[in-house]
Amino acid sequence: GAGVSQSPRYKVAKRGQDVALRCDPISGHVSLFWYQQALGQGPEFLTYFQNEAQLDKSGLPSDRFFAERPEGSVSTLKIQRTQQEDSAVYLCASSSKPRVPSHEQFFGPGTRLTVL
Amino acid sequence: AQSVAQPEDQVNVAEGNPLTVKCTYSVSGNPYLFWYVQYPNRGLQFLLKYITGDNLVKGSYGFEAEFNKSQTSFHLKKPSALVSDSALYFCAVWNQGGKLIFGQGTELSVKP
């Protein structure tokens, strides 16, 4: 398919476990964004990559959150020592240009993380 | 700081009637405004955006939005609602730091 894909779609973790969430952006897209969407809320920005460079990580809530995009395509969001407050849907989006408002972001279906 | 507000958690409309989903914004400088729709278990889908130009913006699936600078609003509208329009709608603003700031969402329910 030509869209953004994410895996797994659902993840249940015990508190304290580490998790890794994968995002496959649209091929050739320069920009990649991660968002966190808590239940009943709008998505909140976590971090931004332009190709392999992480240019903005101001939204990461703690140092337990880490993201990478080593080859400028697939990205992984890792959460260490998960806590219950990490339970949310994690959305990935990609865009064909560097971060500008004129180019829309295409969102993946998200990964729903539940921390018990 | 840039922000958007969606004052209605839920909007109920009968099929065939016009619908409006409200959004107000607060920005410094020129606003870049967006509407996205989210269906259950699916990612957000882009509907339309206002960057500059005409105040009436037309988007996907027959939706349109009117940018009103004096009222700082960007309400989403559709002349005739469909049951399939039932979903969660998010207004968003592009902030100066290069991020999309989303509202809390409005759940639209269209009944036959």
Side-chain angles (χ1 to χ4, degrees):
Chain A
V4 178
S5 61
Q6 294 185 245
S7 61
R9 291 293 313 278
Y10 302 91
K11 177 69 178 178
V12 178
K14 292 183 179 178
R15 190 171 54 186
Q17 282 185 331
D18 297 348
V19 298
L21 313 180
R22 177 187 170 107
C23 172
D24 284 83
I26 294 173
S27 178
H29 274 198
V30 168
S31 293
L32 187 145
F33 303 80
W34 283 99
Y35 293 85
Q36 181 189 59
Q37 185 177 17
L39 188 64
Q41 303 294 319
E44 292 190 0
F45 171 85
L46 292 177
T47 188
Y48 166 70
F49 289 87
Q50 181 175 313
N51 296 310
E52 69 278 4
Q54 189 175 19
L55 298 185
D56 188 344
K57 50 183 180 180
S58 61
L60 296 177
S62 78
D63 58 7
R64 296 186 294 103
F65 286 71
F66 172 77
E68 60 183 5
R69 194 186 185 199
E71 297 180 357
S73 55
V74 171
S75 178
T76 303
L77 176 66
K78 298 179 179 178
I79 309 173
Q80 297 176 325
R81 304 181 304 281
T82 53
Q83 304 294 315
Q84 285 188 324
E85 60 263 27
D86 300 335
S87 296
V89 175
Y90 291 85
L91 296 169
C92 175
S94 70
S95 180
S96 61
K97 297 290 186 182
R99 191 166 50 169
V100 291
S102 56
H103 287 82
E104 67 180 270
Q105 296 180 25
F106 295 85
F107 283 79
T111 294
R112 182 178 297 277
L113 173 64
T114 303
V115 181
L116 302 177
Chain B
Q2 279 85 348
S3 65
V4 292
Q6 295 181 243
E8 302 156 317
D9 289 337
Q10 186 164 11
V11 170
N12 297 308
V13 177
E15 188 177 29
N17 282 2
L19 69 87
T20 299
V21 182
K22 296 180 180 178
C23 173
T24 58
Y25 66 88
S26 174
V27 301
S28 53
N30 294 324
Y32 302 126
L33 298 160
F34 303 79
W35 276 101
Y36 281 83
V37 60
Q38 187 174 38
Y39 296 99
N41 298 316
R42 294 173 63 178
L44 278 75
Q45 295 180 31
F46 171 79
L47 280 179
L48 51 79
K49 64 186 176 188
Y50 173 82
I51 303 296
T52 187
D54 290 342
N55 290 341
L56 185 63
V57 179
K58 293 189 181 296
S60 306
Y61 312 119
F63 284 93
E64 58 189 28
E66 185 171 8
F67 171 68
N68 188 316
K69 188 172 183 178
S70 63
Q71 297 185 3
T72 62
S73 67
F74 189 57
H75 300 333
L76 182 70
K77 299 181 179 184
K78 187 173 183 181
S80 179
L82 300 173
V83 172
S84 57
D85 292 330
S86 298
L88 194 54
Y89 290 80
F90 290 97
C91 181
V93 64
W94 184 266
N95 86 344
Q96 291 178 336
K99 306 169 189 175
L100 274 176
I101 307 297
F102 287 87
Q104 288 193 303
T106 298
E107 185 175 352
L108 173 66
S109 177
V110 182
K111 301 289 189 195

